[in-house]
Amino acid sequence: MEGGMESTGTNTAPRPGAALTAGGPADAPDLVTVPTRQGLEAVDIIRRATGHTAPGVGPVLHDGSGATLGFLVPPGTADAWDLPGSACTQTNGRGMRFGDLAGGAADAPPAAGDAAWLLPPDAVGPVTDPDVLRAALGEAARLIEAADNCR
């Protein structure tokens, strides 16, 4: 991969690219949340680096207020996540009804405070590799800082 997007191998999270149809809470993906602007840049960075093919960016949620994006990552990622300006939480399967969100609800605009898919699971497949996401978020932060300093 180009642009420093290769995996560093330092993440202890199991199964990058794990499917979202997990068997139980222990297999449920974790969720990395970031400010929307940085998240959208990271999506673009990952897609450019991977040529829009797997293993690119996985499912991404956006909140109804437009303030944050959430990237689904393999279970266990929260245990080692350490990127300033972001948070990674274990979902333990709470609120992760992928079939409900992937269907008609994804087509309707979210109500204030509701989450909806920016990139639904059925359109992109597996979760995002946390090392690739970490690198993309770092690059996005640098790009945003440079752009803001040019004003």
Side-chain angles (χ1 to χ4, degrees):
M1 286 182 237
E2 63 188 47
M5 297 303 299
E6 62 277 345
S7 178
T8 62
T10 58
N11 185 17
T12 60
R15 302 180 308 121
L20 294 176
T21 55
D27 294 330
D30 289 350
L31 183 70
V32 172
T33 53
V34 298
T36 298
R37 185 175 176 199
Q38 184 180 12
L40 291 173
E41 287 290 340
V43 167
D44 288 343
I45 289 165
I46 295 170
R47 287 185 144 191
R48 281 192 316 264
T50 61
H52 301 272
T53 62
V57 66
V60 178
L61 288 161
H62 64 87
D63 66 357
S65 69
T68 61
L69 291 184
F71 292 82
L72 294 181
V73 293
T77 300
D79 296 336
W81 191 260
D82 60 353
L83 188 67
S86 67
C88 186
T89 56
Q90 295 174 339
T91 65
N92 296 322
R94 293 182 309 250
M96 292 291 172
R97 297 183 316 259
F98 299 108
D100 294 349
L101 287 174
D107 299 331
D114 287 348
W117 293 112
L118 175 67
L119 298 173
D122 59 345
V124 293
V127 294
T128 302
D129 181 296
D131 292 325
V132 170
L133 179 58
R134 186 179 287 112
L137 290 170
E139 184 176 340
R142 291 185 295 276
L143 288 170
I144 291 168
E145 182 179 5
D148 288 349
N149 288 334
C150 289
R151 292 182 191 192

